[in-house]
Amino acid sequence: MTYPVWVNGVEGGSLLPSDRGLAYGDGLFETLRVENRRAVFAEAHFSRLAASAAALGIPLRQAELLAGFSRFLLSCPASCVAKIVLTRGSSGRGYLPNEEAPSTVIFSAHPLPAYPESFQSDGVVADISGLRLGLQPMLAGHKHLNRLEQVMLRREQAMLSADEMLVCDLDGHVVEGVSSNIFLVRDGELGTPLLDRAGVHGVMRGQIMAQAARLGINVTESRYAADAFLSADEVFFCNSVNGIWPVRRLPGRQWQPGPVTRQLQSFWQDALGL
Ligand SMILES: Cc1ncc(COP(=O)(O)O)c(C=O)c1O
């Protein structure tokens, strides 16, 4: 099985060392689940990318990107993870962008992650990270390429042998997981952290909120301390590659996957179309 990489539409193409994605993390990315050669929630991924590119002033030719990605998918394994990286292109040394420079677009395909099926069916064992996310309203919500915080978190997660971790900001408010968003369920209603100062506005998070609205389940976005999750009826992590992982253990608390989590997992299964 081959997993292609295209740079600016060229298979196996190369990247300049002066690319601002490499030099400054000056760019954005999307990670999409592909099943039967169809990218799940593709529209939501492309609209997030376009909205973030507009907010950060990164040129993006949407129609060209969509057409290129459709062609790219034809060369991918039917089931895989597809990644799109958009950078502000190349410039000279220094932070000032060259506003004339064309942006860089990288498409790459990757094997589906080999997590145990029990992560979906029984849930994950999560820890609470000792690290803190910085507060940066200017970048909050965007899936930008500056992911050093997540790299440090992922190393901590590996050291703790946790399946995921609950991650707080400098003020002690829960933001998300290491590579996922997080929800709690209390009295049949959903709650999820506000992402106005840190965190990524996950596509899966948005889809869950839309599905909850269709099901008549109330969703509150708020600032939560870790205790709110420890005392919740259900807790789950979500992202667009793995769907929904119920939490079966956090330090001092255990759960069985609950009915709201199960209901939303069936929405994810339907979206996969398997
Ligand atoms: C830090 C972080 N937050 C949230 C998410 C979830 O985003 P999405 O649902 O778009 O996959 C991810 C996904 O990789 C992530 O890395």
Side-chain angles (χ1 to χ4, degrees), residues 185 188-190 209 211-219 260 263-264:
V185 180
E189 299 197 351
L190 283 163
M209 291 168 86
Q211 177 64 5
R214 288 188 286 268
L215 294 170
I217 300 173
N218 198 40
V219 187
V260 176
Q263 207 173 1
L264 294 166

Side-chain angles (χ1 to χ4, degrees), residues 6-185:
W6 291 15
V7 180
N8 293 325
V10 178
E11 189 173 355
S14 58
L15 202 64
L16 290 170
S18 55
D19 194 281
R20 296 177 63 89
L22 176 63
Y24 305 121
D26 187 357
L28 297 160
F29 70 111
E30 292 292 329
T31 314
L32 303 90
R33 173 74 174 254
V34 176
E35 287 299 344
N36 296 321
R37 278 210 180 78
R38 189 183 56 88
V40 179
F41 304 137
E43 219 172 279
H45 282 282
F46 281 102
S47 42
R48 176 175 63 182
L49 187 62
S52 290
L56 302 181
I58 299 176
L60 166 63
R61 290 202 292 269
Q62 181 86 339
E64 208 175 290
L65 183 84
L66 280 169
F69 187 68
S70 301
R71 271 186 285 116
F72 173 74
L73 276 185
L74 297 175
S75 72
C76 292
S79 289
C80 66
V81 175
K83 188 167 172 177
I84 304 171
V85 175
L86 171 75
T87 85
R88 205 186 297 269
S90 272
S91 66
R93 200 198 62 78
Y95 294 134
L96 186 67
N98 171 5
E99 303 293 348
E100 308 302 316
S103 42
T104 301
V105 177
I106 306 169
F107 299 141
S108 58
H110 309 265
L112 291 177
Y115 293 115
E117 159 52 28
S118 65
F119 281 18
Q120 305 273 345
S121 55
D122 305 338
V124 294
V125 176
D127 216 321
I128 301 178
S129 171
L131 305 175
R132 294 280 178 266
L133 293 172
L135 303 173
Q136 179 45 279
M138 182 169 67
L139 298 177
H142 300 302
K143 198 157 177 180
H144 57 68
L145 290 173
N146 297 253
R147 290 288 141 213
L148 208 41
E149 289 183 319
Q150 280 68 35
V151 172
M152 301 308 286
L153 286 163
R154 190 63 187 80
R155 292 177 75 224
E156 183 198 23
Q157 182 193 333
M159 239 151 50
L160 295 172
S161 300
D163 301 332
E164 241 298 3
M165 291 199 301
L166 198 137
V167 182
C168 296
D169 66 19
L170 285 170
D171 285 347
H173 295 120
V174 176
V175 177
E176 55 186 0
V178 176
S179 45
S180 55
N181 291 115
I182 189 165
F183 283 82
L184 57 75
V185 180

